[in-house]
Amino acid sequence: MRLGVCCVDEEADDREDGMTAGQATPKRNVRTRRIAFSYPPGTLDRHYVQGDLVMSHIVAVLSALFPEGEDFFIRSVRRYSDRITDPELKSQVAGFIGQEVTHGREHRALNDRLRQMGYPTRMVDRFTHYLLADHGITSGRFRLAVTAALEHYTATIAECLLTKPEAQELLGETEVRSVLLWHALEESEHKAVAFEVYRAIGGTERQRIAVMRLVNALFIPIVLILTTISLAGDRSAYNPVRLVRSLARLRHSPFLTREMVAHVRAYNRPGFHPDDFDATALLERWKAELFGKDGRLTDHLK
């Protein structure tokens, strides 16, 4: 399966109304934090998401998707960095790349630990590498549109995690909780950067929306298939009572609400911008909670 199977005809797309370009980029604090996490043996239970079977596998799959995904995002944005003339956007692109490099590195460390615990993170990583590789059948602008669409997904998940106490409670008090809260904060901080670059290089509404429809058609099925493969390698998944109970809890997950679905679908609205969902107060709260004077993660900073 390749993301290029439904590439929009860009010559035809250019004849459509384009997105508004040339506007000054709003100021955003997109900074790279030097941070590191560790997972000594014995510090994580086999089903580390509060003992939940299915959610532990879903989080492992998502974590395994991140490193190659982050590399893809960096390549997609960096390709056009020399065409960015707005100093504010240039600064944000530099912060975006620094944050994504750090995300990839830290998730590789987590994925190594999860692999030792029996999760197929290496297989997922290799699959993602192939899926997002440049097979020569898509353009740079198409890949940037994919990046902007996927950044909307990650920001939606991130802001759900930062907003809903029940989402945070799923992660207990482990180091996985710490890395995901940090990652969520930075995903929300830079959620508009790839979108702004796409707009700055003349990306159109038609292609932006068409690409998101393609991403919607592929992302959830891919996660479901990879999670099923992951579960198939876990002996606990063959306990029908435990599996059914875990699946039943999944139906009430804070990440699967109508509000979340509406948030994702908002991207398809003509004229949409990531800042339509204002997270300013949310970011200030979590920056203080994680990295303030007595922040939870100040001891993780290098």
Side-chain angles (χ1 to χ4, degrees):
M1 187 180 296
R2 299 179 182 178
L3 281 177
V5 296
C6 187
C7 183
V8 174
D9 178 356
E10 293 190 356
E11 290 186 4
D13 198 30
D14 286 335
R15 293 192 292 269
E16 301 291 328
D17 290 340
M19 298 172 71
T20 302
Q23 297 178 342
T25 305
K27 289 188 177 296
R28 302 181 186 90
N29 184 14
V30 183
R31 54 168 295 194
T32 304
R33 297 175 177 87
R34 293 173 56 83
I35 194 167
F37 300 85
S38 62
Y39 312 92
T43 58
L44 291 178
D45 293 333
R46 175 69 171 91
H47 301 115
Y48 55 95
V49 182
Q50 294 289 69
D52 189 278
L53 173 65
V54 175
M55 277 301 298
S56 294
H57 283 271
I58 290 174
V59 173
V61 165
L62 291 174
S63 181
L65 290 170
F66 281 132
E68 288 294 334
E70 310 287 18
D71 288 349
F72 174 83
F73 298 166
I74 292 167
R75 294 194 305 272
S76 300
V77 170
R78 182 178 279 156
R79 177 187 180 98
Y80 294 101
S81 59
D82 61 345
R83 291 174 55 178
I84 303 302
T85 57
D86 183 341
E88 177 62 27
L89 184 53
K90 271 188 173 293
S91 174
Q92 291 178 23
V93 166
F96 171 88
I97 291 173
Q99 286 187 346
E100 297 292 49
V101 167
T102 310
H103 296 172
R105 183 194 69 215
E106 291 305 313
H107 274 279
R108 288 191 191 282
L110 172 57
N111 295 341
D112 286 345
R113 183 72 191 98
L114 292 174
R115 181 178 57 82
Q116 294 167 8
M117 293 163 58
Y119 293 90
T121 53
R122 181 173 293 175
M123 177 275 292
V124 175
D125 182 75
R126 289 172 176 171
F127 168 79
T128 311
H129 174 79
Y130 174 78
L131 180 67
L132 297 178
D134 183 0
H135 299 286
I137 57 177
T138 58
S139 70
R141 198 174 77 180
F142 176 85
R143 291 191 288 276
L144 183 58
V146 170
T147 297
L150 287 171
E151 282 290 317
H152 179 63
Y153 259 98
T154 56
T156 299
I157 295 170
E159 289 172 9
C160 175
L161 177 59
L162 296 177
T163 302
K164 296 180 180 292
E166 59 269 34
Q168 298 153 31
E169 289 169 7
L170 286 174
L171 302 175
E173 296 297 333
T174 67
E175 190 80 330
V176 175
R177 174 192 175 104
S178 297
V179 73
L180 292 182
L181 286 174
W182 156 74
H183 191 166
L185 171 68
E186 295 194 346
E187 285 299 324
S188 185
E189 284 180 337
H190 71 228
K191 67 179 180 179
V193 175
F195 185 98
E196 293 281 12
V197 173
Y198 177 76
R199 182 164 68 170
I201 67 165
T204 64
E205 288 282 83
R206 179 172 179 240
Q207 185 180 42
R208 178 183 70 79
I209 294 170
V211 167
M212 180 49 124
R213 286 173 177 159
L214 174 63
V215 169
N216 285 335
L218 294 178
F219 181 72
I220 298 301
I222 286 172
V223 172
L224 288 175
I225 291 168
L226 292 175
T227 301
T228 300
I229 293 171
S230 184
L231 282 164
D234 188 337
R235 292 179 60 184
S236 298
Y238 294 90
N239 180 328
V241 174
R242 184 170 185 184
L243 179 61
V244 169
R245 286 178 176 173
S246 184
L247 289 171
R249 284 193 295 270
L250 186 63
R251 293 176 55 196
H252 303 288
S253 169
F255 297 104
L256 297 177
T257 62
R258 291 181 180 178
E259 177 187 2
M260 285 284 289
V261 173
H263 195 144
V264 170
R265 288 180 174 173
Y267 192 91
N268 292 338
R269 185 177 64 242
F272 169 84
H273 191 283
D275 288 343
D276 290 347
F277 295 97
D278 184 9
T280 305
L282 186 68
L283 291 175
E284 290 304 314
R285 171 195 158 196
W286 280 99
K287 281 190 285 188
E289 188 158 339
L290 297 180
F291 299 109
K293 181 180 178 182
D294 298 310
R296 297 183 190 181
L297 301 184
T298 52
D299 60 335
H300 287 63
L301 293 172
K302 296 181 180 179

